Structures are given as structure tokens and as C-alpha cells.
Amino acid sequence: MGKVTGFLEFDRQEQKYQLAGDRIRHFREFTLPLEERDIKKQAARCMDCGIPFCHGPTGCPVHNQIPDWNELVYSGGWEDALRNLHSTNNFPEFTGRICPAPCEEACTLNLENMPVTIKTIEQAIADKGWEEGWIAPEIPAKRTGKRIAIVGSGPAGMAAAQQLARVGHDVHLYEREAKAGGLLRYGIPDFKMEKKHIDRRVKQMEAEGVTFHYNANIGVNLPFATLMAEHDAVLMTGGAEAPRDPGLPDTNLAGVHYAMPYLTQQNKRVGGEDVSNEAPISAAGKHVVVVGGGDTASDCVGTAFRQGALSVTQLDIRPMAPEIEDKLTVWPYWPTKFRTSSSQAEGAEREFQAATLGLEGRNGRLTGVKCARVDEKRKPIAGSEFVLQADLCFLAIGFAGSVIEGMIAQSGAAVDKRANVVANDRDYKTSVGKVFVAGDMRRGQSLVVWAIREGRQAAHAIDKELMGATILPV
């Protein structure tokens, strides 16, 4: 907790944003950090609530000890706060920027709609750690002689690799793309998290003994059998990348794209990678329709505005949620309520209870998106049809599961009906000896914070399997 009466003395204060008209002119982060004195006031608001739901299973998947580091920030113990934060979370500067903060929804003060600004404080602790030079490689005192392969350098793979390297294993992280980060780098736009944060962690991990292998597409240009032959354990953390089929006619029209290729291309462009071998996807001077109501759809909205879209409309099949949830029936769990992302606030038109019926085109090119209102069962209502003008349409309706072809097929690991590799959340073992799985490839599409948790837990399981015991936290 912070100050006993802090929640009575200080109002909730969040980070502000650059004005929309300014921030859509660039792809950099646009939050305006709070002054240190204001961060301390926000930490002081953490109350003696008895049962801190914020860091239980309902609030924080990695079990951040939030009241503890709030107290440390309030009292000026920033370095101790960072040490505490790192004890549960390898990459707090990632989650402090992009996590939706279920901890704040679970905060006791959220019963009054004024939760502690936990996410803002977390980011401040991590950023101060980098600024002060407190974050340094943690090099193991001795080596175990065990060699471990991790496939996929997203948050699950990076977390597992760092944990295993720190107890002395020879860790090799294989990444299909030219740089590390997975969807952190190629899916999440720079205006939400600049990639310098990933690059710093990669340098730290390299100093700790992690070897990164780029452009290594396991199951395509490097057989899975090679990993099995050369390593004592293999951990698959390749994510859930197969897009969900919208089942719409005419998706082959020019101007219709899945969300991830669009976001990936722009992220590569911002990062200085060569995309000249790809057909450019640009919203400049175009009317854009985004199908889907989630975070990926919102990222498409913000990217389109920054590319110079004339208009952006987002279609959500769900009804408009209430402004305020019923606390007594929902709290401390994640509530369904009306939310406006920073990207949506930049000028997007939002259509609720809108089903996408099909696509219209002329001469092979998209001209419009056919829609209809839906009832409570999400069935189109006769006579409610309408057409939105569209030069570009992005399909952002989630993922169907893992890509089976390639690595998973070659591994022989069992998969379930959702195309997730089968393993439990205790030992993370697949049906194949010495092969483990974690992250979205095991649990399905989820949050970055869940991926970090699974990577850390899988590292615990692998170390225990190889060494008979482990000092790594669960």
C-alpha cells in the first residue's frame, strides 16, 4: 500500500496524450509521462484494502506484487521497486505500455471508478530503471552444460529464454523474422510501443548468454529434427498466427487484407526493414473499413490515420456496451463496458451491432462493404442492410489457432480442435518427449502478460526437468 489516507487526498491522474492532430503525423509513442512527484502521489493512493485483488489471478497473470512496489515508489525506494517488479515480470516496460491493465479493473478503488493508475506506475518504474542504469545483464556464475532451443522470440519465448539463461543453460532462440520480438515488434504499432524497448532487452539477453538465430523458419528452412538432435529440450512459443476465416464472398478483391500483414508491413517500414518485395498496402487518400472490435482492429485504425486515410470506419458485431459496468455482478473481473482506444479517438466512425455480409467491387477492386444490423443472437435483421464506401478493408476478427504446417507438423506434437498444441500449465510438456510449448501456441490468442507468465512457468518446468530441481519461480 502507499499512504494510508492517500486515496482520500489525491485524485486519480493518468498520463495525457499528444493532441490527435499532432500524434497522427508520426509513428512514435505519444503519451506524456507524469512528473515523478505525481507518480508518487498516484502510488500513495494504493489503499490498505485487505485482499489485494490487483495481483491475484483475477488482476495480474504474472502476479505482480503491486501494493509492495506502490509503497516503495511512494517512499522513494525506486530501485527496490524495480527489483520487486522484475521478480515477477521480465519486461515491465512492455506491459506498462501495452497491457490492458486487468489489475486496475480489479483494484478496490475501481468500485468507485477511480482505480490506482497501476499501469502508469509500472511503466514509470521500468523507465526509471533504464534511465538510472539499474537494469543490467544478470550473468550466471556457472554453466549447466545443457543446451535448449526456443522457437519464437515473442514475449513467451523471450521470457523463457532469459529465465533459462540466468540459471546457466545454453539457450538458443530461433526467430523466423529478421529481428526479435514477435508480435511485439511486428504486430503492435510503434505509436503504442517503440521497438527500442525490445532492442535493449535483446542486448541484455545476449550478454546473459542467449544466442539469437534470425531468419530461421523452423519446419521450412531448418528442420525440426535438427533442433531435436542438437538440444536437450525444445520449447515452442510460435504464437497463434492462423487468421480466422471470415467466410465472406469476394475476399480476393484488391484492397481486402487480413490485419496482420498490413500491420507487419508498416512496422517493418517504420523499423527500416526492406519491404520492396511486397505489394504496398497503404491507406493514404482512401476510405477504410476495419472489420472487428478488438485491439488488432484498433491498431489498424491508428495505422490508417497515420498513413493519411480519408476516413476510417470500424465495424463491431457486438452491441454498444454500457458506459459503467454493474460493479456488484462483475468486479473484480474484467468487465464488458464501453471503451474508446486512443486510435478510435483519432476520428474513427464506429458501427455497433453491424454484421459484415459481403464485399462489393468493380473491375476486381473493392468499392464497398455490405453490412446489416444484427439482433441479440447476432443474426442480420431483414431490411437493415447498408453499404459503406471502402477502398481498403482490413479483417481483424482474431485468430483460429496455430499454423500446423511446418514446425508443429514436423514435431509430431498433439493438437486440439482449436489448433493449439496440447500441454497443461504445470509442466508444459507436449505429447513428444523433451518438447515443451508455451504462450499463444498452447493457450490460444491471448495477452502479452499471459505470454510472459507462460514463458516464465515453462522455463521453471524445463529447468526442473533437466536438472531435477530449480530455483526459478513458478
Side-chain angles (χ1 to χ4, degrees):
M1 59 172 288
K3 187 178 182 181
V4 174
T5 57
F7 71 99
L8 297 172
E9 297 177 33
F10 307 117
D11 291 332
R12 174 180 166 91
Q13 183 181 1
E14 300 179 72
Q15 295 183 102
K16 290 183 170 57
Y17 296 155
Q18 289 179 353
L19 295 175
D22 294 330
R23 66 181 188 248
I24 64 170
R25 299 176 186 276
H26 61 79
F27 279 88
R28 300 183 303 278
E29 292 178 17
F30 52 80
T31 53
L32 305 175
L34 296 179
E35 297 287 340
E36 183 172 322
R37 65 176 183 274
D38 294 321
I39 291 290
K40 292 179 71 172
K41 288 179 181 178
Q42 293 307 298
R45 297 184 65 245
C46 187
M47 62 189 297
D48 187 8
C49 58
I51 299 176
F53 288 95
C54 60
H55 69 76
T58 59
C60 182
V62 294
H63 299 292
N64 280 339
Q65 299 170 100
I66 294 162
D68 294 351
W69 44 255
N70 276 334
E71 164 67 24
L72 288 165
V73 168
Y74 168 63
S75 61
W78 286 87
E79 190 169 2
D80 287 337
L82 178 68
R83 191 175 298 111
N84 186 300
L85 184 50
H86 271 144
S87 72
T88 57
N89 185 354
N90 295 67
F91 314 118
E93 68 272 32
F94 299 174
T95 51
R97 284 171 166 79
I98 60 177
C99 184
C103 53
E104 295 190 19
E105 298 292 349
C107 177
T108 301
L109 285 174
N110 191 39
L111 288 169
E112 297 294 331
N113 299 307
M114 294 290 283
V116 176
T117 53
I118 299 168
K119 179 178 173 180
T120 295
I121 299 167
E122 179 181 26
Q123 179 185 334
I125 295 170
D127 288 352
K128 190 173 183 65
W130 284 108
E131 292 165 6
E132 298 292 337
W134 297 333
I135 300 176
E138 298 180 22
I139 301 171
K142 61 180 181 179
R143 299 291 177 179
T144 65
K146 301 293 185 181
R147 183 180 168 101
I148 301 167
I150 298 176
V151 184
S153 67
M158 287 182 67
Q162 185 165 64
Q163 294 294 92
L164 290 166
R166 286 177 173 177
V167 291
H169 297 304
D170 181 16
V171 180
H172 292 258
L173 191 47
Y174 294 85
E175 169 55 46
R176 178 188 60 198
E177 300 292 344
K179 296 180 182 179
L183 288 186
L184 285 170
R185 183 180 296 274
Y186 295 107
I188 294 173
D190 281 58
F191 57 79
K192 289 176 69 174
M193 188 182 82
E194 294 177 15
K195 306 313 177 239
K196 64 183 180 183
H197 305 296
I198 302 172
D199 297 335
R200 288 189 303 200
R201 287 295 182 179
V202 168
K203 289 181 180 178
Q204 180 194 34
M205 292 168 63
E206 288 174 335
E208 292 169 341
V210 178
T211 302
F212 288 80
H213 302 266
Y214 299 115
N215 300 307
N217 194 348
I218 308 304
V220 178
N221 61 15
L222 182 61
F224 189 83
T226 300
L227 298 190
M228 292 287 282
E230 296 179 353
H231 299 85
D232 297 292
V234 178
L235 173 63
M236 300 189 296
T237 58
E241 296 184 301
R244 182 173 287 120
D245 183 359
L248 297 174
D250 299 319
T251 54
N252 60 337
L253 288 170
V256 181
H257 305 272
Y258 283 109
M260 288 315 303
Y262 172 57
L263 295 174
T264 298
Q265 183 183 96
Q266 181 58 36
N267 285 353
K268 286 183 176 181
R269 191 178 289 121
V270 172
E273 294 188 45
D274 183 14
V275 293
S276 60
N277 62 335
E278 303 176 18
I281 310 173
S282 175
K286 296 177 180 177
H287 297 283
V288 178
V289 173
V290 181
V291 180
D295 291 337
T296 301
S298 182
D299 292 343
C300 289
V301 170
T303 299
F305 278 130
R306 283 159 180 77
Q307 289 182 338
L310 293 178
S311 69
V312 181
T313 304
Q314 186 176 354
L315 301 176
D316 194 332
I317 199 168
R318 300 168 298 182
M320 182 182 289
E323 292 277 354
I324 301 295
E325 72 274 22
D326 183 348
K327 304 290 185 183
L328 295 181
T329 59
V330 179
W331 184 86
Y333 297 98
W334 182 261
T336 298
K337 64 180 179 182
F338 184 75
R339 305 171 192 270
T340 300
S341 72
S342 59
S343 292
Q344 291 163 342
E346 289 163 1
E349 293 292 330
R350 302 172 69 183
E351 295 282 353
F352 293 95
Q353 286 186 274
T356 306
L357 303 181
L359 304 163
E360 294 183 346
R362 186 182 304 112
N363 299 324
R365 176 163 291 280
L366 177 73
T367 59
V369 178
K370 295 184 287 187
C371 312
R373 300 297 173 194
V374 297
D375 59 22
E376 65 276 4
K377 296 182 178 180
R378 298 187 178 182
K379 300 296 183 183
I381 299 171
S384 67
E385 296 83 4
F386 60 98
V387 177
L388 294 172
Q389 179 183 357
D391 307 299
L392 272 180
C393 178
F394 297 118
L395 305 174
I397 55 173
F399 299 87
S402 305
V403 175
I404 304 301
E405 296 79 12
M407 178 176 68
I408 295 176
Q410 289 185 17
S411 75
V415 298
D416 62 21
K417 61 183 180 181
R418 294 187 175 183
N420 298 325
V421 179
V422 176
N424 63 47
D425 61 357
R426 294 178 300 280
D427 60 27
Y428 291 87
K429 293 180 180 179
T430 70
S431 59
V432 178
K434 83 176 190 180
V435 178
F436 300 76
V437 64
D440 289 4
M441 189 167 272
R442 188 197 74 85
R443 65 180 289 115
Q445 181 188 8
S446 191
L447 302 176
V448 167
V449 69
W450 272 109
I452 293 173
R453 172 185 170 88
E454 295 224 343
R456 287 171 60 89
Q457 289 186 319
H460 171 98
I462 292 169
D463 188 40
K464 187 175 182 179
E465 176 78 8
L466 294 179
M467 307 303 293
T470 182
I471 62 171
L472 290 176
V474 177

